[in-house]
Amino acid sequence: MTAVSKKKLREVALSEEEYKRVVELLDRQPNDVELGMIGVLWSEHCSYKTSRPLLRRLPSSGSRVLQGPGENAGAIDVGEGWAAVFKIESHNHPSAIEPYQGAATGVGGILRDVAAMGARPVAVLDSLRFGPLPESRRLFDGVVSGIGGYGNCVGVPTVGGEVYFEPAYAGNPIVNAMCLGLVPAARLRKARAEGVGNLLLLAGADTGRDGIHGASFASLELDDSSEERRPAVQVGNPFLEKCLIEALQELAESTAVIGIQDLGAAGLTSAVAEAASKAGSGALVDVAEVPRREQGMSPYEVMLSESQERMLLIVKRGRQAEVQKVLERWDLHSAVIGMVTGDGHLDVVEGREQVARLPVDVLTSLCPTRTLEAKPPDHSRYRLDLTEIREEPADPPATLLRLLAHPNLCSRRPILRQYDHMVGNATVVRPGGDAAMIRINGTQLGIAMTTDGSGRYCELDPYLGAQIAIAEAARNIAATGARPVAITDCLNFGSPDKPDVYWQLEETISGMANACRALDLPIVSGNVSLYNDTDGRSIYPTPVIGMVGVIDDYSKRLEAGFKEDGDFVLLVGVTANDLGGSHYLEVEHGVFAGRPPEVDLLQERAVLEFILATAAAGLLRSAHDVAEGGMLVALAECCLLSEKGMRGPPLSTGGDLRFDALLFGETQGRFVVSLPSRSMPEIQNLARKHRIEIQMLGMTGGDQLEFEGQFKVSLEEMKRAHQGGLG
Amino acid sequence: MKFGVVVFPGTWSDRDCGQVIEQVLGAEVRFLWHKDRDLQGCDCVILPGGFSYGDHLRCGALARFSPVMESVVTFAEHGGLVWGICNGFQVLCETGLLPGALIRNDVCEFRCEPVHLFVERADLIYTANLDRGAVLEVPISHGEGNYFADAATLSQIEQNGQVVFRYCQPDGLVVPAANPNGSLHNIAGIVNEAGNVLGMMPHPERCAEAELGGEDGLKLFNSVLDSMREVLVAS
Amino acid sequence: MVNYLATVVVTLKQVVNDPQGLTVRSGLRQLGFEEVDEVRVGKHIEVRLSAENEKAARARVSEMCRKLLANHVIEDVRFQVEQQDAQVGASR
Amino acid sequence: MVNYLATVVVTLKQVVNDPQGLTVRSGLRQLGFEEVDEVRVGKHIEVRLSAENEKAARARVSEMCRKLLANHVIEDVRFQVEQQDAQVGASR
Ligand SMILES: Nc1ncnc2c1ncn2[C@@H]1O[C@H](COP(=O)(O)OP(=O)(O)O)[C@@H](O)[C@H]1O
Ligand SMILES: [Mg+2]
């Protein structure tokens, strides 16, 4: 029955069954333009056809949630009438091919998602994975300067992020960008094409032949033929985007603007269909009215172009002039390209000629979902027998220095200083510690933000790994004194057509759902990036958690570095023999194996509450979570951030705790805090009340990290190791 | 005393300057749109940081042709205070109100980090509250802040004492290691001969509050405010 | 009116340091191109314009260079102008 | 070995958006150069190198273009190579 060639179907990335379904739904064959439109919207990237059924398991509601998944970005109430709007998104495939522009346009896209909600973007974070250095140097440098290049030019500070290097990402890097914006809650916008007769106004860049089929491209594996699809990469124009954002801010209170939708993957087709679908309306688009950058573009090309820096505004009929006046003030082109209709169809015309006519729901909600086969992978290669490994590191200071110099643990300063992290005069906790914090000018409110992923742990056990990512993000937020309140996530996986990858996806989402419920953290937005494979090999399953926290009074915020000499240093939480998947095993014994640390979610919650209570009471001078590299690395980081040493009695292990696990194990639910001695009684009280174990490690001061009679490392040596790690 | 802050398309330090002037300094601020010629009676015009016109072609190259700049040039020629910060400094060089040019950082990377500034001139309206030889900690945030002038111009600037700030170590030593971008003679900021037009790459508006990590920048804003009060009272 | 394509080459003056050139040079050397002695990076600007005749086109382009396309404190500029077939004209 | 000067011109592919060109174009128009139709901005890279002969020089420069000087995803590249007098050789 397929009256359409296989080649054509491949071009639009539809399967034969899907094509049959299209014909059934339409009760006719689609024409070429229609087929292209359906093809992109039914791509994994736009339709979430594989992940959608699984994503429903994630909790998305809560008392602070103003907007859950389904809009351009999620939004939460952060108090005093303010909403924080945020989302994370991947740009892995474009970045693999053109690192600078791929990463830059990734930032551009996520800024537009937030701006489309009516918010002013005020912070960007990134989460990056590459293959090992030096082979990945070009990609790494290009991506970092691309992220900085876009954010710096727009004037939104890049306040945080993370980067890891693992062979699993060598062919397929991960480039995720998160943006957070602020808006008075009453002015939150939605992407709805409401009100028959209202106008569709396209604003910003002119439309060119950029990235046609970018969405389906992102849903395909990278192979040699990617070469031919290369024009899918675009050149961003952050300058134009900055003007677009300012113009939208000027229109913030305009009642002439009914809805705003950014143009991203699948361009106009997606933007118009989504906006109409959300409003239950239809739309008519005249492609002849779309301002072009190039001559001779076909309706197909106009509808599928992914030219950057464009926005669709739904404007009250008759009031377009006042909106266009604001856009012109910013030298932005705009044009009325169509209107809202009431018949549930998306009509595309070129002048008088009908080009396409499709029911909106065929483009959006009726895309068939896919449930695939799941099968756990063979994990035998990751088996670990700790009894075969000696318990005492031969030379703890040498091991510590090697860990500090490891590209995954070393100083991120060479990256951070390429990002303007201060513009906006709001960054009250700068990047480099745990979470960053910005204040809301005119209030005492502070918003803490972090991104955390856990590909290594997820490779070993996706369920546990997912929980660890969430728990670690929550600890990073709490370490600033802010309460973790909501999440945006980006799920980076290989091809779900492989049963073991689909299994990883299922397990990860279950783990996330579980941790979110236990810690009372709704997921309000997110993104899924599948088909991260090269030559048949998948990346580690990599859920990236973007978490947001709130503190009512940012003057009570904490940072990770020690503050004063003579403060007590405590370890909060219990340590177990958690060496599975640790950086220690890798650096010291060349082993990547084992089971990741268990996350006791009840205990995790208790520790978070304890830290928040002690911070709120003003008892602490610093707080830092214990993560990769374990306790000794955490202590070294506290020293390095403050250029202060620490000195304590020799460390001893009780029960069956191994000495290497005490120093370098990655047991969850732990913090290192410092406090003035007078806080001690009160801390002990609170610890008892929250049933938290605390252990005195020593006292701040001096220029070394020392355990008397056991070992010591100088600040200078640690600094040298830490600073040189990225080469 | 009224500050004017110019807004070009692509400017982003306008809001930060406005916030400092209004909320920290408690002075009056007017935003001056690039398409307008009216300086609204401002006593000091700030050309703030950002990427005017995307820094396309060259930093500051296109901004200099905007209508507001015609008025700014006239204002400066009549002794008005014109203060270029970061992109504003670049615009002033392109306009010719200040000598030299700012080229790409020698490291070929954007740099956002605190630097130390050795204060060479404490007799200007901008630095009246400082002492010569004082050291300030102020952040930079630029990709093209590498000050260049040909040998003749450079020696003239030095002879005239037009260098206001040089990159230095925390102890005040002006050494190559303290130079973040390759600027000739560690130059971070210069004035015109008359002393009314100042250009500097570092961002004083970013360190005007202890909560943001320092207050050294506020000293410059206060200098302007205090000096201008005297001038205005006297006149 | 006739369509012309002007190709403008803007280079940093020899006395000006060229950080970008140095970076490219060290990049090339790291890639094994040790025979590379010096690299300088400039701009190549293509301007499509219409004019009465070639002389007029040259005059206008020369003015563009003086006013905007180059900063004479740091840059040298040169250009050439060639006539274009009418139909090759730009999009708008 | 002989000294050569390679002049490499890197331009954005015609289908690729050139934000810089667009801005320069509107800048020129605002300055009164209304006859300007289109502007595109690329890079002009001068590489001084030594090689056995011109053919070898060309081969090496071509490789440099492929490996570092241009990204073929979005850019086109062309170059020419000319021999240099020994004494005009590069500065270092
Ligand atoms: N992993 C996820 N978790 C929660 N929400 C998600 C996830 N992935 C996608 N979403 C939500 O689904 C919607 C569609 O996402 P996407 O297609 O990425 O949006 P856009 O095209 O506007 O960038 C958004 O509201 C997004 O927040
Ligand atoms: Mg969107």
Side-chain angles (χ1 to χ4, degrees), chain A residues 45-48 51 55 58 68-74 86-89 109-110 113 261-262 264-265 270 274 278 488-491 509 512 523-528:
Chain A
H45 189 82
C46 290
S47 70
Y48 291 86
S51 55
L55 292 177
L58 297 171
E71 280 289 333
N72 284 313
F86 53 94
K87 185 168 188 262
I88 190 167
E89 207 157 69
I110 197 65
D113 271 327
Q261 167 69 47
D262 71 296
S270 167
E274 298 267 323
K278 279 174 204 153
T488 181
D489 70 303
C490 193
L491 302 172
I509 289 175
M512 282 169 58
I523 295 190
V524 298
S525 64
N527 181 245
V528 180

Side-chain angles (χ1 to χ4, degrees), chain B residues 88-116:
Chain B
F89 186 10
Q90 295 161 342
V91 174
L92 290 174
C93 287
E94 282 280 338
T95 311
L97 284 176
L98 290 175
L102 293 143
I103 62 171
R104 192 177 292 227
N105 294 352
D106 59 354
V107 286
C108 269
E109 274 182 7
F110 195 90
R111 278 285 178 272
C112 177
E113 60 194 359
V115 297
H116 291 92

Side-chain angles (χ1 to χ4, degrees), chain C residues 49-60:
Chain C
L49 73 161
S50 52
E52 283 285 348
N53 53 43
E54 194 171 315
K55 190 166 164 232
R58 293 192 160 277
R60 291 296 273 176

